[in-house]
Structures are given as C-alpha cells and as structure tokens.
C-alpha cells in the first residue's frame, strides 16, 4: 500500500484516463474493536464499484472486465493489519493503486476520467511529512516521517553505502577513534555525495529535515555540504542501521516541539489577520475565498469534519450525510484548492482555533 504522495506521483494520478477511472474510498480503523468492521465494509464498497460499472452503458464490456480485475487485484493487496484512518483504491484499464491514509475519508465510489485525489492531498498535508537522514561513516539511511511513524524510504539513491574494504566504523567507535574516521578523506567524499543526493531530493520533494548521527558526523556533513545546515540536528548515533521505531523514538520529542511552535505561530498570524481585516472563518467563507485564490494561510483543526450542500446559490449550508447532493469531504476540497493556489496549509490540534468553528484563514487581500 502507498503512503507518501510526491508532486510527481500526484501529477501522474491526475492524468486523464480512458473512462472509467474508478476511485473507491472507505474509512478504516487502526485499533480493535473498530477495525473488525473494515474487511466487510471494504468488500461491500468494492462490490458497489463493480455494480456501478455493470450499470454504466458508457463502459464497454471488455473495459468493464479489465477494471473489475484491477479492483480484485487491488483488494487482494490491501493489508488491513497496517491500516490508517482511510483507504483509497484507484483502478482504471490496465492499472490499480492502493493508498493508506492517516486521515478519514467518506465512503464513496466515483467513476470519472481522472482519479479523485483531494483526499490524498489533504491527508498528506495533515500528516505534516518530514525527512530523517541517519548518518554514519559507512551508511546513510533516509526515512519518511509522518503521523506517529517513520518508514525507510528507498528513493533518490538512498540508502547510500560506502565500501567496507579496509574500513570498520564499529571497531573505530569501540577503540575511540571515531573522530579520526570523520577526518578521513574517503568519509568526506562519501558525505559530499550524501549532500548532493539529499539536495536533489529536497528540490523535488521539499519537507522539513531532521539529521541523526554522532556529533562528529553531523559536524562533518555541515562542513562539506549545505543541505543540512538548516536541518534539525539530532545527536544520536546508530540509527543508519536502526529500526523505524528506534528512529521515531529519537526524533519524537523534537517533532512534537516543532508542532507546538507551528501551532503558536498560526495563532499569532490569525490574530494579526483579525486586526487587519484579512481574517476568514467557516467552510462557506473559506470555500468562496479558496476558489478565488485569496487564501494565503489556511488553518484546520485535525479532526474537523462537516457535511454541507450547495444552497443553489453561492453558499454552502449544513447537510446530512445521506443527502444526495451532500459534500462530505468539503474540508478536503478546501485544503486541496488552497494548496493549488499556493496557500500554506497548517493542521492544528482540535480546539486550537477557538470560536473559528474548526477552520480559519488569512487572506491575501
């Protein structure tokens, strides 16, 4: 199952497909007893997708059978033991993908000529993704971080390893010769290559960066390169060969501290916007401003959800989830629209926005 949404991947997902491109969304659960319902619910929503394919006269028989096979293959790949809060299946002629999200999604089936991506975009923003670079003299490992976890990321040439011929970093640590290891020209060249690879990745997928390693390793990486100078340094060795849990435990306090600083910063910006009459709140007001590209900063409480419908004019009004014209993921729509127009999107703890009703923004003009 997929977790990390890069700009390149998003562009590919948004590419028009031969009709039908099927998007299947369903909520999932991380823990018992709620997760007992997930297998049945997933099978039912996939069955509903096949039913809609069968009933659509615009879908030729051979194409319908192809997409149905893709749905079956996707269903077989789902591992609900590692489920997040939402699951998305994309299926089109000759292809399928399964995405596990750290943010709930409404249950739905959509047949179109493109995949429905707004829930992926919103989940990615809510997860506040970051990179962790774990450095040692002989290996550098890249980790992708998000909500309560990190996973090893094999992209951009990572992990990078250095030949162990005539080289034993562990022995040098045991005999107290680690500092001379990081004065070695071979090590310097190795870390220059690391800096180049990480610079390329950050240009393609910009995220906050944490760097772990012995103090000597962190110092040398700063000396020979530039990419880690603005990163958060975590003087903790051994993680280049470590486990995801060990990496997470090492950086967790720093991630939490950065999240608190971010929330405080958002609160100050919103308060300033009130004084300058550049403040907006509520889904109706934010949706209108998002469509006009006027939102500079959008703040959303992490678990804020609201179902609305169009009142027939230019406004959104509350609705029930069962209404035919209900829009259950309007918050995700607003998030995606704001990101499309260059706004900064921040997710904050529930209750952090006070009387702003779960969602607020700073306007450009």
């Amino acid at each position: 199952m997929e977790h990390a949404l890069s700009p390149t991947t998003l562009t590919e997902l948004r590419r028009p497909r031969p009709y039908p491109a099927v998007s299947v969304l369903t909520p999932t659960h991380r823990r018992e007893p709620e997760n007992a319902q997930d297998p049945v619910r997933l099978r039912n929503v996939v069955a509903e997708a096949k039913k809609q394919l069968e009933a659509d006269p615009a879908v030729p028989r051979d194409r319908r059978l192809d997409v149905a096979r893709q749905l079956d293959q996707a269903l077989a790949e789902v591992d609900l033991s590692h489920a997040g809060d939402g699951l998305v299946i994309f299926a089109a002629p000759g292809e399928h993908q399964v995405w596990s999200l750290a943010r709930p999604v409404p249950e739905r089936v959509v047949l179109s000529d493109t995949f429905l991506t707004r829930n992926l975009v919103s989940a990615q923003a809510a997860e506040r993704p970051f990179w962790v670079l774990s450095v040692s003299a002989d290996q550098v490992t890249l980790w992708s971080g998000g909500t309560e976890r990190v996973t090893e990321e094999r992209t951009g040439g990572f992990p990078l390893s250095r030949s162990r011929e005539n080289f034993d970093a562990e022995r040098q640590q045991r005999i107290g010769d680690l500092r001379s290891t990081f004065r070695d020209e071979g090590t310097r060249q190795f870390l220059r290559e690391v800096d180049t690879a990480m610079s390329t990745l950050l240009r393609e997928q910009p995220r906050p960066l944490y760097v772990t390693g012995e103090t000597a390793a962190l110092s040398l990486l700063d000396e020979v390169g530039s990419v880690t100078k603005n990163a958060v340094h975590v003087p903790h060795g051994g993680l280049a060969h470590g486990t995801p849990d060990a990496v997470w435990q090492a950086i967790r306090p720093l991630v939490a501290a950065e999240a608190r600083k971010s929330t405080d910063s958002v609160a100050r910006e919103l308060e300033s916007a009130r004084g300058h009459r550049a403040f907006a709140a509520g889904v109706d007001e934010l949706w209108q401003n998002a469509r006009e590209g006027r939102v500079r900063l959008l703040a959303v409480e992490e678990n804020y959800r609201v179902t609305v419908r169009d009142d027939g004019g230019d406004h959104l009004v509350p609705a029930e989830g069962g209404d035919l014209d209900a829009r259950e993921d309007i918050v995700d729509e607003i998030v995606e629209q704001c990101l499309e127009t260059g706004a900064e999107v921040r997710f904050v703890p529930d209750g952090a926005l006070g009387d702003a009703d779960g969602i607020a923004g700073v306007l450009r003009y």
Side-chain angles (χ1 to χ4, degrees):
M1 295 193 292
E2 305 286 345
H3 295 279
L5 183 67
S6 70
T8 302
T9 302
L10 181 59
T11 299
E12 169 60 21
L13 286 174
R14 287 173 167 170
R15 174 178 58 80
R17 263 91 177 159
Y19 184 85
V22 181
S23 301
V24 178
L25 289 72
T26 187
T28 53
H29 303 84
R30 298 172 185 264
R31 299 176 181 86
E32 297 178 342
E34 293 84 0
N35 61 6
Q37 65 184 284
D38 292 349
V40 173
R41 192 166 186 172
L42 176 58
R43 286 195 298 270
N44 287 344
V45 72
V46 171
E48 173 60 26
K50 292 181 179 179
K51 182 179 177 181
Q52 291 190 27
L53 283 170
E54 185 77 33
D56 192 334
V59 182
R61 181 178 181 276
D62 60 340
R63 194 171 293 177
R64 183 184 75 243
L65 294 174
D66 184 354
V67 176
R69 281 194 299 270
Q70 298 296 331
L71 287 169
D72 287 338
Q73 291 175 27
L75 187 59
E77 293 173 11
V78 173
D79 182 1
L80 289 174
S81 64
H82 294 93
D85 299 309
L87 188 76
V88 178
I89 292 175
F90 295 133
E95 63 173 318
H96 67 272
Q97 292 188 32
V98 180
W99 288 82
S100 179
L101 308 183
R103 182 170 168 82
V105 297
E107 186 170 289
R108 69 164 39 146
V109 174
V110 178
L111 275 63
S112 184
D113 58 358
T114 58
F115 292 136
L116 185 69
T117 60
R118 60 175 172 255
N119 305 96
L120 271 67
V121 171
S122 183
Q124 181 84 345
E127 199 168 9
R128 294 186 288 269
F130 54 86
W131 297 118
V132 182
L133 197 65
S134 294
V135 181
S136 71
D138 65 321
Q139 178 164 308
V140 175
T141 304
L142 179 69
W143 311 87
S144 177
T147 305
E148 297 294 318
R149 63 177 172 83
V150 298
T151 56
E152 186 177 352
E153 187 78 11
R154 293 180 174 270
T155 189
F158 291 100
L160 288 170
S161 299
R162 178 184 174 194
S163 172
R164 285 180 170 269
E165 185 178 350
N166 300 320
F167 175 76
D168 188 344
E170 292 181 1
R171 178 180 180 277
Q172 287 169 315
Q173 289 183 50
R174 289 196 301 271
I175 65 175
D177 200 24
L178 183 65
R179 188 165 296 279
S180 66
T181 299
F182 288 99
R183 287 198 293 263
D184 174 75
E185 183 54 37
T187 305
R188 295 174 69 89
Q189 180 57 37
F190 175 58
L191 294 188
R192 288 190 193 99
E193 294 170 5
V194 170
D195 182 79
T196 299
M198 196 67 220
S199 296
T200 300
L201 181 64
L202 284 173
R203 282 195 298 271
E204 296 171 352
Q205 300 184 53
R207 299 183 187 181
L209 175 63
Y210 297 82
V211 186
T212 76
E214 299 287 349
T215 301
L218 299 179
S219 297
L220 180 57
L221 191 57
D222 275 357
E223 180 184 333
V224 301
S226 60
V227 71
T228 63
K229 285 185 168 62
N230 296 319
V232 178
H233 287 201
V234 185
H236 189 304
L239 297 180
H241 299 277
T243 64
D245 185 62
V247 175
W248 173 245
Q249 295 305 323
I251 67 167
R252 184 176 187 173
L254 293 160
V255 172
E258 290 296 314
R260 288 191 295 270
K261 285 168 56 179
S262 176
T263 299
D264 292 343
S265 171
V266 168
R268 289 193 296 270
E269 289 205 54
L270 291 173
E271 189 59 35
S272 175
R274 286 179 186 269
H276 293 88
R277 297 188 178 182
F279 177 82
V283 290
D284 185 42
E285 191 173 355
L286 264 305
W287 174 237
Q288 293 183 57
N289 283 291
R291 286 186 298 172
E292 296 169 2
R294 295 188 60 204
V295 180
R296 180 177 66 78
L297 169 68
L298 179 73
V300 185
E301 292 184 358
E302 288 168 349
N303 293 299
Y304 179 60
R305 296 285 186 283
V306 63
T307 301
V308 298
R309 60 177 174 81
D310 195 317
D311 68 352
D314 295 326
H315 296 282
L316 301 175
V317 296
E320 298 296 326
D323 293 353
L324 290 177
D325 56 352
R327 299 164 76 165
E328 295 183 49
D329 52 357
I330 187 62
V331 174
D332 287 359
E333 289 188 52
I334 294 171
V335 169
E336 183 182 50
Q337 184 64 40
C338 286
L339 288 170
E340 285 290 301
T341 54
E344 182 180 6
V345 175
R346 306 268 197 95
F347 282 80
V348 298
D350 294 344
L353 299 182
D355 61 358
D357 195 24
I359 188 167
V362 178
L363 304 182
R364 289 191 170 101
Y365 54 88

